[in-house]
Amino acid sequence: MPKPRVPVAVHDKAGVDARGLRIGRRLVAAQLALMGVLALLGGPALLAALLPTGAAPVWLAGAARWGAWAGWTLVLAGIALGGWAIAANRPGNFNIHPAPRAGGRMVDAGPYRWIRHPMYGSVLLAGAGCVPAAAAWPAPGQAALALAGAAWIALAAVLAAKARLEEGWLLRAHPGYAAYRARTWRFVPGLY
C-alpha cells in the first residue's frame, strides 16, 4: 500500500509533501555531483589559463588555451548572472532546494523579469564553460570533452526537473505565479 502524502509543516502553504522533498534532495545531490564532475574536468585548464604563457603547462597551448579562455568567458557570464540574481533577491529568500521557503516572497525584479530561474541559468553557463576547457587535457582530451559534454547535458536535465518541481510548488504558494510564469521564460529568454 502506498504511503499517504503528508504535507511538511514548514512548507504547508506550498503544498510540499515528503515525497517531493525527497525528490528535491536527490535532484540537489545530482546537481552538486555533476557540478563537481564539470569542475574536475574543466577546472585544471581554466586555472592553468590564468598563468603567463611561459609558465602555463605545455599541454595548454594553441587551441587548448583558446578553449580555456572560451570557458572563462562562459564561467564569468554565469557568475555575473548569478550575482545579479542574488542582488535582486532578498536575504533569506534564496534556497538551493526547490521547495519554497516558508514566508518567502516571489521576486520579479532583476533577471527574474525575463527568466524564472536565473540561478539555474548561471549554473548552466558556468558549467558550459568547463566543457571547452576539458578538451585541453593532453591525451584524453576528446574523452574528457565528451564526458564534460555529457555531464553538462545531464546537469541541464536535472535543473529542468528541479525547475518543474519548484514551479508546481510556487503555483500553489503564490497566487500571482501563474501570470508571472506565462510572461517569462524558464532559463533562456526567447528559447526556453
Side-chain angles (χ1 to χ4, degrees):
M1 180 189 304
K3 291 183 180 181
R5 296 176 75 176
V6 180
V8 175
V10 75
H11 298 291
D12 275 350
K13 182 179 176 193
V16 177
D17 57 52
R19 180 178 176 271
L21 287 174
R22 279 192 307 277
I23 292 169
R25 277 191 225 98
R26 288 181 185 133
L27 289 170
V28 169
Q31 172 188 344
L32 295 175
L34 290 164
M35 289 167 60
V37 167
L38 287 165
L40 286 172
L41 291 170
L46 289 171
L47 294 175
L50 297 176
L51 298 171
T53 303
V58 175
W59 54 265
L60 189 66
R65 191 168 187 90
W66 283 107
W69 280 111
W72 267 116
T73 302
L74 292 167
V75 168
L76 292 174
I79 290 169
L81 179 59
W84 189 22
I86 289 170
N89 231 317
R90 72 169 197 192
N93 205 41
F94 201 73
N95 190 6
I96 191 170
H97 195 282
R101 285 198 181 276
R105 68 176 175 89
M106 196 174 91
V107 177
D108 61 358
Y112 292 92
R113 264 181 238 143
W114 302 282
I115 52 178
R116 296 188 297 276
H117 303 281
M119 287 306 298
Y120 296 171
S122 74
V123 168
L124 287 172
L125 274 171
C130 293
V131 176
W137 285 92
Q142 295 306 313
L145 175 63
L147 182 57
W152 186 86
I153 290 168
L155 178 62
V158 165
L159 292 175
K162 204 173 147 187
R164 277 191 305 278
L165 182 63
E166 182 177 4
E167 287 180 10
W169 289 329
L170 289 170
L171 282 167
R172 291 188 292 271
H174 300 287
Y177 193 79
Y180 168 73
R181 188 171 78 165
R183 72 175 187 273
T184 57
W185 295 89
R186 186 169 276 162
F187 295 139
V188 182
L191 186 62
Y192 177 73

